[in-house]
Amino acid sequence: MPKLIKNGGIVDDADRDILTIEQWAALDSKTDSAVQLEPGDLIDPLFEHLDELTLVAVNFPVFTDGRGFSYGRELREKGYAGELRAVGAFIRDQLDYLSRCGFNAFQLEDESQLPAALTSLDQFSERYQADIDQPQPLFRRRS
């Protein structure tokens, strides 16, 4: 069974059907559904069903394609509270930025890198910029 990082730990990936946005849109009932977004997909149709989705996976086909970061942040800002998983060719150095955009699960292409990647999530104790979890920049939080 494949492994991934989820909510700060390494876990087995539960077997589930993850649909393309087109397959998902064709569902009669969207309850407990899972969808994978590709770069260039329109995510607006998801907004009406955020409370029904259990998983949104965002594919990063190459580590230089940053559109998935925007998808993650926009989904969280619209209220999505389920599993937001990064999949594909992102690199360990991007994990902190992905988590700051709201991703809470990471499926690396090379599972042998999971333990080292897990440590990447705790490398910074403070950040200057605002993010999805801390909307105030550091200079505004200082008293």
Side-chain angles (χ1 to χ4, degrees):
M1 183 175 289
K3 295 191 177 300
L4 59 106
I5 296 171
K6 182 176 176 183
N7 297 325
I10 298 173
V11 300
D12 290 329
D13 183 14
D15 291 334
R16 61 176 5 178
D17 292 326
I18 302 176
L19 307 173
T20 66
I21 192 82
E22 293 83 12
Q23 293 168 328
W24 177 85
L27 290 175
D28 290 330
S29 171
K30 311 245 190 298
T31 303
D32 295 328
S33 58
V35 64
Q36 179 164 315
L37 298 173
E38 298 293 333
D41 282 346
L42 297 176
I43 66 171
D44 295 0
L46 298 178
F47 297 153
E48 294 179 36
H49 303 279
L50 293 179
D51 58 333
E52 298 173 78
L53 291 164
T54 57
L55 166 66
V56 177
V58 179
N59 186 30
F60 291 81
V62 293
F63 80 93
T64 57
D65 190 334
R67 290 176 282 186
F69 289 87
S70 298
Y71 287 163
R73 184 170 186 105
E74 190 168 3
L75 286 165
R76 292 297 190 207
E77 287 175 344
K78 296 286 186 184
Y80 179 63
E83 180 180 339
L84 184 56
R85 181 186 301 182
V87 301
F90 58 92
I91 58 176
R92 179 180 165 190
D93 291 351
Q94 293 172 315
L95 288 179
D96 184 61
Y97 299 114
L98 286 164
S99 68
R100 295 182 64 200
C101 291
F103 288 86
N104 62 337
F106 311 92
Q107 188 173 2
L108 281 76
E109 289 183 321
D110 182 0
E111 286 185 17
S112 69
Q113 297 297 312
L114 287 173
L118 186 59
T119 64
S120 296
L121 293 171
D122 295 325
Q123 286 184 323
F124 300 101
S125 60
E126 192 65 74
R127 295 168 181 92
Y128 291 110
Q129 305 89 357
D131 62 30
I132 205 71
D133 292 328
Q134 178 53 262
Q136 293 291 321
L138 182 62
F139 76 91
R140 297 252 186 235
R141 288 181 273 144
R142 289 186 175 160
S143 31

